[in-house]
Amino acid sequence: MANSRKKMKILHTKKSVSALSRSWHRAGETVALVPTMGCLHAGHLSLVALARKKASRVIVSIFVNPTQFGPNEDFARYPRTEKADLKLLREAGADAAFLPTPAEMYGPEGEATVSLSESRLSRTMCGEFRPGHFAGVMQVCLKLFNIAMPDIAVFGEKDAQQLAVLRRMVRDLDVPVKLVGAPLVREADGLALSSRNRYLSAADRERALSLSRALADAEAAWRAGETRPGPVLAKLRRAVSRAADSLDYAVAVDKDTLEPVRSLGPGTLVALAARFGSTRLIDNRIFR
Ligand code: AMP
């Protein structure tokens, strides 16, 4: 095993990924997939580490998926750092990296004609501000599952709504993959790691610390005995609104159904999205 781990495979075609996964399965190995959009950081690498614990082979995909970006979003300027990403993945012990082009994924016409319809789960929260986003996420993830045929796929709780939407898709369509959630990784000062953090000026970054602080305060209030979402969210919204250029939403919902909770408790997801300059950041805390 140690020997065969030596060289990470770099693949660009769907066919080569499917063939590799098949060969691993035939050899009795288990396969984990970690889908990413690249510009990798410690948050992504924690997913790779978890994937390595859960499966004997790990494929990491790097694909900035055009179908999950809105027309006025940051698709064109989304940071692409392929060389550094591959180095990090090698060091992290990934077995294969899959870097398709949009044409490889969607064909020369550029668009798949069949798409998954959205539900309340994908229309709420970020879905309200990014219409079509989760339809694109479901589409690309289902394609990646079909291509890589993983036994498990690892997703970060940083994107808690994405995880809830994908869990539901896997259940509704009986997709033969087990989804594993990985804890949100933060900088030492609390800022949630995100590829988009590099858009932030020093001043914006300072202001963005309000997100993790306000979420920590919300959890502290719950631990001190407050179970009413109303006052906790009101305080959270005030604090973030003071620091951010705008607050898209701040909610307390059940982490699986994304329905607003009547009472804060274990399994409550407090999640928000806010803008600093032209950068939109999300953050959350899941109460345990
Ligand atoms: P992205 O490249 O932003 O599409 O993210 C790829 C995967 O990494 C998703 O499952 C994210 O939830 C996860 N991820 C991104 N940032 C973090 C973080 N700070 N902590 C944990 N997981 C993360």
Side-chain angles (χ1 to χ4, degrees), residues 4 44 64 126 128 171:
S4 57
H44 297 112
V64 185
C126 281
E128 202 181 319
R171 193 176 113 193

Side-chain angles (χ1 to χ4, degrees), residues 10-203:
I10 299 171
L11 307 170
H12 296 278
T13 65
K14 300 191 268 194
K15 240 184 170 164
S16 58
V17 174
S18 301
L20 184 63
S21 177
R22 259 193 216 98
S23 75
W24 281 338
H25 279 126
R26 265 198 307 272
E29 308 228 43
T30 52
V31 177
L33 173 69
V34 181
T36 82
M37 299 203 299
C39 192
L40 301 181
H41 51 63
H44 297 112
L45 300 180
S46 75
L47 270 50
V48 178
L50 184 59
R52 284 190 64 180
K53 278 200 203 127
K54 302 258 174 197
S56 60
R57 295 289 183 175
V58 176
I59 303 174
V60 180
S61 61
I62 297 180
F63 180 57
V64 185
N65 174 38
T67 74
Q68 71 189 67
F69 287 80
N72 299 316
E73 294 186 352
D74 57 346
F75 174 70
R77 74 162 179 153
Y78 196 85
R80 286 154 170 96
T81 58
E82 187 179 312
K83 222 177 131 194
D85 289 349
L86 292 176
K87 182 167 183 281
L88 287 171
L89 290 183
R90 256 182 226 111
E91 289 163 3
D95 296 280
F98 175 39
L99 302 92
T101 59
E104 173 67 11
M105 283 300 277
Y106 294 109
E109 300 84 21
E111 284 245 349
T113 52
V114 175
S115 61
L116 294 158
S117 63
E118 299 219 24
S119 65
R120 202 203 64 82
L121 216 58
S122 59
R123 280 199 206 99
T124 181
M125 297 164 61
C126 281
E128 202 181 319
F129 297 87
R130 306 187 68 188
H133 168 67
F134 289 112
V137 169
M138 287 189 287
Q139 181 188 46
V140 77
C141 287
L142 186 55
K143 282 165 73 71
L144 288 169
F145 296 159
N146 287 334
I147 295 161
M149 299 170 285
D151 299 282
I152 70 159
V154 184
F155 291 88
E157 288 175 350
K158 159 88 190 326
D159 298 82
Q161 184 176 14
Q162 169 171 280
L163 185 54
V165 166
L166 291 174
R167 279 197 195 287
R168 189 63 212 228
M169 176 190 80
V170 162
R171 193 176 113 193
D172 286 355
L173 300 179
D174 298 300
V175 184
V177 64
K178 181 177 185 291
L179 299 194
V180 175
L184 197 163
V185 179
R186 298 178 182 281
E187 302 267 16
D189 61 8
L191 185 70
L193 285 174
S194 163
S195 306
R196 290 188 168 98
N197 288 348
R198 61 171 61 198
Y199 298 151
L200 297 170
S201 66

